[in-house]
Every structure is written in C-alpha cells, then in structure tokens.
Amino acid sequence: MKKKLVVLTGAGISAESGVKTFRDSGGLWEGHNVMDVATPEGWNRNPALVLDFYNQRRKQLKEVEPNLGHLILAELEKDFDVYIITQNVDDLHERAGSTNVLHLHGELLKVRSIANPNYIIDWKEDLNFGDFDEDKNQLRPHIVWFGEEVPALEEAITITETADFLAVIGTSLQVYPAAGIIDYAPRKTQLFYIDPKPIKIPNLRNAIEVITEVASKGVEIMRNKLLSFL
C-alpha cells in the first residue's frame, strides 16, 4: 500500500507561475486594499468593484501555466497516495494532473449563491450583476473571504491526521486556521518545509527537514528524498 503524502501549499507555489499575491505589495492586491475586495464588508459596500476584481483574476489565470513544482507533485501520485490541501484559489494543481485537491479558501473558477452557500457551480467567464441562482439570488465568487468560516477545514484536518509525510510549500504559515493544520499530523509523520525564507515553527513535535528554496526547486529536492523512503 502506498504511503500517504499530504501537501499544504500556499501562494509561493503559484507565484512562480505568475499568479500575483497581495502579500507581495504591502497589503495591496493588484492596487486594491484587500479589505475592499476580499471581505464580506467590501462586498456589501461595493459589489461592483469585487465582481470586477475577480473577473480580472479569472482572466489572469487563463494566461498562466502550472510550473515544475505543480507537475512534480502530480507525478508523485505514481509512488505515493498524494493529497493536496491548498490555500490557493487557482486551478494549477488540477491542470498539472493532481487528482486529490482540497481548496481551503475557495476556487476562482466557481461561483455560489449569496443566499445558499451550497449552491456552487463552475464559472470560467465574467460574473456580472443579474447572474442568478435558480431562485433569482445573485451569484458571488466562491472565495472564502477574510472573516468567513473555512468549510473545508474539518476535511483538511481529517486528511492530515493520517499522513505518513507532510510537506508545507510556499506558505507563510501565518494565515489561520490553515496554518494550524500541521498540528494535526501524527507524531511519526516526517515533515518537509519548503520556502526561500522559512520561519521558525514553534512547539513542533515532528521531525522536520527545511528546504530553503523556491517551490519548484524545493519540490524537486523533496521528491528525491521521498523516493529514498520507498
């Protein structure tokens, strides 16, 4: 039976493909204050701005491709039972070929009803006023905004609790509750932490190997180390 590799990914792995992140520019995301475009309050104040912002993000996503980091993680499914838990809202893991991807913070290519959070549909083009669910409720981006609950968190914890290996790639480990997921790894789980500027992880119970590289290079190094366990 294959060993279980759980991978927690963040903005760093997508940044190498050209996906811009708000943390790169002092809290501004494409020139917008994050509180204006990624909070329920921002939506209530100016939904037109929020719709346009995510329409632009969708257009940008069509212009980028998965990088080597995404591709190697997909290839590892040949030798490991791989589960990817991502904080990213893009579809680059899926396009690279990964088959078990859990999006903690929603998905850019899906929308949902403002009245029914379980009404979620695929959406690849612009989202506009007048785009409704079956009951004539406006649709909104299927994104977990700041201040909203993370519906996939319990599933992410359940997955992590059975990991033989846990890799943390391209995330600052500062956005909660996602950052707390690593605390649920069993004591025996070997951790890999890939980041060009790694932080010290407090109160860590597990053996950890820190790879001080960008995501694509670090994943390549990790792959070779993982294959030595087979």
Side-chain angles (χ1 to χ4, degrees):
M1 197 166 71
K2 292 179 180 178
K3 297 273 190 183
K4 187 168 184 177
L5 169 63
V6 177
V7 186
L8 177 63
T9 65
I13 193 167
S14 292
E16 285 191 67
S17 289
V19 178
K20 296 180 182 177
T21 71
F22 69 85
R23 291 186 181 277
D24 291 337
S25 49
L28 293 180
W29 194 358
E30 296 285 299
H32 295 288
N33 186 306
V34 173
M35 294 301 106
D36 290 334
V37 294
T39 63
E41 294 79 11
W43 169 261
N44 291 333
R45 276 195 309 270
N46 193 345
L49 173 66
V50 176
L51 288 175
D52 179 66
F53 177 80
Y54 286 99
N55 288 342
Q56 296 306 316
R57 303 288 72 69
R58 255 179 242 107
K59 287 189 177 81
Q60 185 192 64
L61 186 54
K62 293 177 182 179
E63 299 170 357
V64 300
E65 298 292 339
N67 61 60
L68 184 62
H70 296 106
L71 295 170
I72 292 175
L73 289 176
E75 289 171 6
L76 281 168
E77 290 189 12
K78 289 184 289 188
D79 297 297
F80 296 89
D81 188 12
V82 183
Y83 285 79
I84 294 175
I85 302 168
T86 185
Q87 295 168 276
N88 301 330
V89 298
D90 59 63
D91 65 340
L92 295 177
H93 282 301
E94 289 91 342
R95 281 158 59 187
S98 290
T99 58
N100 298 308
V101 184
L102 180 66
H103 288 267
L104 285 176
H105 296 158
E107 297 180 60
L108 192 53
L109 298 182
K110 292 185 178 180
V111 299
R112 72 174 188 256
S113 167
I114 62 170
N116 178 7
N118 296 316
Y119 184 93
I120 302 166
I121 58 175
D122 293 334
W123 201 277
K124 296 184 178 180
E125 303 305 326
D126 284 356
L127 179 64
N128 301 302
F129 281 116
D131 289 326
F132 296 139
D133 68 10
E134 296 165 338
D135 298 316
K136 300 298 182 183
N137 297 301
Q138 175 65 40
L139 297 171
R140 56 159 274 187
H142 180 48
I143 304 293
V144 178
W145 289 326
F146 290 97
E148 294 185 318
E149 291 185 5
V150 181
L153 183 61
E154 288 301 319
E155 185 179 353
I157 290 170
T158 299
I159 292 169
T160 304
E161 287 175 335
T162 60
D164 295 299
F165 303 97
L166 176 63
V168 179
I169 304 171
T171 171
S172 64
L173 291 174
Q174 294 176 348
V175 177
Y176 283 84
I181 288 172
I182 62 172
D183 295 333
Y184 292 91
R187 256 180 214 278
K188 65 177 176 61
T189 302
Q190 168 70 43
L191 265 58
F192 293 92
Y193 178 24
I194 300 171
D195 199 284
K197 297 179 180 178
I199 64 168
K200 183 174 176 58
I201 304 175
N203 305 317
L204 192 61
R205 305 174 305 165
N206 303 70
I208 185 168
E209 177 146 359
V210 179
I211 302 173
T212 309
E213 293 283 357
V214 297
S216 57
K217 179 64 175 175
V219 170
E220 199 169 10
I221 293 169
M222 181 185 73
R223 173 184 60 188
N224 296 333
K225 293 180 180 294
L226 281 168
L227 292 176
S228 71
F229 285 97
L230 297 178

